[in-house]
Amino acid sequence: MIFSNISKEFALIKRNIQSRRGHFRSDKQHYFVLHDILPEKDFQHIRELVLKNKTLFLRNDSSVRQGSSMGGHELRKSPLSQISDIIDSPEFLEKVQSKTGIDNLQFVTELDTNRLSLLYYKDEGDGIDWHVDGTIYLEDPWAGILTIVEDIKESEAKLEIKPNGKPTTFPVDKMENTLVLFQGDQVQHRARTMLKDEKRIVVSLLFSPNPTRTKNPVLRLYQAWVNYIFYGNPRA
């Protein structure tokens, strides 16, 4: 067991280095588009909640990303905690497992603020350019973007992904209440910059078939830095 974990730790380091250099595994380029992932009643309730509590989001601009957000730790202590009750649930997870066929998919640990967080783009220029995520998990991380509000002027949603290097967009009229699931450290993705008087709010989710976190202090420190940039809180 010890030697197995050591092997996985070295594999994780290699995976992060290669993805940073733009070398992505061809067998990790698959993605899922899950429409109407929430019951309509639950979706409308969440939409009403986030629009009513927009002032609770933290504005945290950086050279990496422009926009507002709320980390999972803060969300669970806020008036938006019902979002966690609905989405961070066995029923929601079972639906994702069923629709993707990944029967062993799990939420990452509750200690990770990225398990369930909120991202809010509202000002002209808000967004994040093409990038891949780092990962602190010993097995495949799956990033999920569940769109709650996509009030924009363009015909294609702001989220774009680049599986196998091919830019892929999604029709804006089908984006709300849709979960896009992909391996964020292997598939490049971005949120195109917002135009004037546009608004976009998404739930960001993180899953893994085996959500065991690395013990590597360098990777954990890097993740803490990313968390601070996004949520103003380094807690991982």
Side-chain angles (χ1 to χ4, degrees):
M1 183 66 177
I2 293 176
F3 291 108
S4 174
N5 283 342
I6 290 174
S7 175
K8 288 181 179 180
E9 290 281 2
F10 276 109
L12 178 62
I13 293 171
K14 182 178 179 181
R15 180 169 176 152
N16 275 286
I17 291 174
Q18 288 183 329
S19 67
R20 283 287 175 267
R21 292 176 175 173
H23 303 307
F24 310 121
R25 291 180 52 174
S26 60
D27 61 334
K28 307 294 182 185
Q29 300 300 301
H30 192 59
Y31 66 94
F32 300 92
V33 181
L34 311 180
H35 296 296
D36 300 319
I37 191 66
L38 291 169
E40 184 63 19
K41 182 179 178 180
D42 288 342
F43 172 72
Q44 292 299 336
H45 179 59
I46 289 175
R47 196 176 196 278
E48 182 180 342
L49 271 178
V50 295
L51 290 174
K52 182 180 178 181
N53 291 279
K54 297 191 302 291
T55 57
L56 298 178
F57 288 81
L58 172 71
R59 182 80 192 183
N60 198 12
D61 292 336
S62 70
S63 59
V64 178
R65 174 185 177 270
Q66 288 75 51
S68 303
S69 62
M70 181 181 292
H73 302 314
E74 291 75 21
L75 184 149
R76 289 180 174 84
K77 299 175 183 177
S78 78
L80 294 170
S81 62
Q82 289 182 40
I83 295 175
S84 177
D85 297 337
I86 294 171
I87 297 176
D88 192 352
S89 66
E91 294 79 13
F92 182 85
L93 181 60
E94 287 171 7
K95 192 168 186 178
V96 175
Q97 291 171 336
S98 174
K99 285 180 172 289
T100 60
I102 309 176
D103 296 335
N104 59 345
L105 196 67
Q106 302 294 323
F107 281 107
V108 300
T109 173
E110 288 186 0
L111 297 174
D112 191 336
T113 196
N114 297 285
R115 175 178 170 124
L116 188 157
S117 57
L118 294 173
L119 304 176
Y120 180 25
Y121 302 91
K122 65 180 179 65
D123 292 340
E124 187 175 6
D126 279 0
I128 183 169
D129 206 354
W130 289 111
H131 68 287
V132 288
D133 307 328
T135 178
I136 59 172
Y137 289 92
L138 298 185
E139 295 197 18
D140 293 340
W142 284 87
I145 301 295
L146 169 53
T147 302
I148 305 301
V149 177
E150 189 88 10
D151 184 6
I152 65 174
K153 302 172 183 176
E154 299 165 297
S155 60
E156 300 296 318
K158 294 294 184 179
L159 174 67
E160 296 182 14
I161 61 176
K162 202 183 285 187
N164 295 307
K166 300 177 181 178
T168 301
T169 59
F170 308 95
V172 68
D173 59 346
K174 296 183 179 180
M175 203 59 183
E176 291 188 356
N177 200 15
T178 289
L179 175 66
V180 179
L181 195 66
F182 56 95
Q183 294 194 37
D185 73 315
Q186 295 295 309
V187 176
Q188 289 180 294
H189 50 287
R190 73 170 178 173
R192 288 196 322 279
T193 53
M194 303 293 284
L195 305 177
K196 186 177 180 181
D197 297 326
E198 291 186 329
K199 181 166 60 243
R200 177 174 181 259
I201 304 175
V202 303
V203 178
S204 176
L205 301 165
L206 189 58
F207 307 87
S208 175
N210 180 12
T212 301
R213 296 196 291 180
T214 179
K215 297 184 183 300
N216 186 312
V218 175
L219 293 180
R220 295 289 288 269
L221 183 62
Y222 173 78
Q223 186 60 55
W225 174 74
V226 172
N227 290 345
Y228 180 75
I229 287 176
F230 271 74
Y231 310 116
N233 185 344
R235 287 178 59 197

